[in-house]
Amino acid sequence: MSTPPEPPPSPEPARSPAATLMRKTAYIAAPGTIVFALLYYFGSLYIKAYYTTLGVFPEDLGFSIQGTVASSTNVIFLPLCMFLISGLISFLALGWLAQRLDGPRRAARRRTAISWLLALGVGVVLVGLVAFVWEVLPTQWAQRFVPALTVAVGATLAVFAVQLRLTTDAGARNRHPPGDRMWLAGGTLLLALFTLSLFYDMTQYVAAVGRGDARSDTDGGYRGTQWVVVHSRVPLAHYAPGIISRDRGPGLGPYRYEYQGFRIIAKAPNRFYLVSHTSRWNDRVVVALPDDGTVWVEIRGVM
């Protein structure tokens, strides 16, 4: 008795062009959203470090999203290039090492390399964590950057070991599938540790650059900021050095008092932040004037 023929497989439903386009857009938009969020975070971190060091409340300034993102591009360009170059060198080194240890004749040497790389990487990670927790490094700069960078280097070495283990020949891998899953899980954790370490170092770097730029601008006499002349209805009480005050008399309008020598370093929706053109880091004084009609700030431009 002959068996009935099997029914032909049902054809897969065709995707509409709109669904295909949405799927491709999602592949592009998801990484782009992460990159944009990181740029916004680093930009806000730089703005906070910079203006807090100057003596200005950054929460009052109301930066736009575009302005915040733009503040991060110059700051992270150099370390990002260094990370990318280091990653390229690391991948080339891993490829060279995997090629030198490839083949069944080098299996023993490959296992030895895996053991050494894993032990060295875990040891370096532990050294970095100890330095981070107990703060054993002598300088503040080293304590801020070196421990997390050490953890990242150790995690990279351990990831090399995991990658070498998972790229052995197919016959050896098929004989130990549970072990491969454990190695894969460990490699994922190591990559997460590597990412967190680099992220921490990047945040410390951006904050340090913001503080350094603020101090450099202060010692440089606030070059690039605008000169202003302040006209006030009432005498201003301030301690900024080098300010020339003048009483124009009661017959010259409501803004009787004039103050020259100020530079404006920030403008909030409801106040002006001014500094003297003669002030430096050691004698810096920020004058916050309310923008409520009591004063009139005349902007003279950059000089």
Side-chain angles (χ1 to χ4, degrees):
M1 183 175 179
S2 61
T3 58
E6 295 182 359
S10 58
E12 294 183 0
R15 292 191 181 96
S16 64
T20 305
L21 179 61
M22 289 179 63
R23 195 167 113 186
K24 292 182 179 179
T25 304
Y27 287 142
I28 300 174
T33 303
I34 296 175
V35 171
F36 186 84
L38 288 175
L39 289 176
Y40 180 83
Y41 174 78
F42 289 131
S44 62
L45 190 64
Y46 174 82
I47 290 172
K48 183 174 182 179
Y50 180 84
Y51 283 102
T52 302
T53 305
L54 285 181
V56 177
F57 296 106
E59 295 81 8
D60 291 348
L61 302 181
F63 280 89
S64 64
I65 296 177
Q66 295 85 350
T68 304
V69 171
S71 300
S72 67
T73 54
N74 292 333
V75 183
I76 68 173
F77 178 77
L78 179 60
L80 187 60
C81 288
M82 293 178 61
F83 288 154
L84 291 177
I85 293 173
S86 301
L88 177 61
I89 295 174
S90 300
F91 279 117
L92 292 176
L94 177 60
W96 175 83
L97 183 61
Q99 187 177 11
R100 293 295 300 269
L101 299 176
D102 194 19
R105 289 194 236 175
R106 302 185 179 93
R109 192 180 302 175
R110 188 184 187 97
R111 288 193 296 269
T112 303
I114 292 172
S115 301
W116 276 102
L117 282 174
L118 184 62
L120 182 61
V122 172
V124 173
V125 167
L126 292 177
V127 169
L129 292 176
V130 169
F132 181 80
V133 173
W134 274 278
E135 299 183 357
V136 295
L137 296 178
T139 63
Q140 185 179 6
W141 182 91
Q143 185 60 46
R144 186 177 298 157
F145 294 104
V146 173
L149 192 60
T150 303
V151 172
V153 171
T156 302
L157 294 174
V159 168
F160 276 14
V162 173
Q163 183 66 17
L164 285 175
R165 174 62 177 78
L166 294 177
T167 55
T168 53
D169 61 284
R173 282 206 316 270
N174 292 334
R175 289 195 295 269
H176 305 285
D180 281 356
R181 286 195 290 269
M182 293 296 297
W183 280 86
L184 184 60
T188 304
L189 294 176
L190 288 169
L191 285 176
L193 185 62
F194 171 81
T195 305
L196 288 176
S197 302
L198 290 187
F199 181 79
Y200 176 83
D201 255 0
M202 183 68 81
T203 57
Q204 296 299 308
Y205 173 81
V206 171
V209 170
R211 291 189 292 266
D213 287 350
R215 180 156 187 169
S216 176
D217 291 345
T218 303
D219 286 334
Y222 303 94
R223 290 188 299 269
T225 58
Q226 294 172 312
W227 287 79
V228 296
V229 177
V230 178
H231 306 273
S232 177
R233 296 175 182 268
V234 296
L236 297 180
H238 66 85
Y239 296 97
I243 301 301
I244 301 174
S245 60
R246 176 178 152 196
D247 185 356
R248 302 175 61 191
L252 293 177
Y255 296 98
R256 172 176 174 176
Y257 304 95
E258 182 180 283
Y259 299 85
Q260 296 185 12
F262 279 116
R263 283 180 178 268
I264 183 169
I265 58 174
K267 173 65 176 75
N270 56 355
R271 63 172 60 98
F272 300 93
Y273 289 97
L274 309 177
V275 293
S276 170
H277 71 286
T278 64
S279 66
R280 296 298 182 266
W281 179 256
N282 293 328
D283 61 346
R284 63 193 184 281
V285 175
V286 178
V287 179
L289 297 181
D291 186 11
D292 57 359
T294 304
V295 297
W296 163 43
V297 177
E298 179 183 351
I299 299 177
R300 294 289 179 90
V302 180
M303 298 182 187

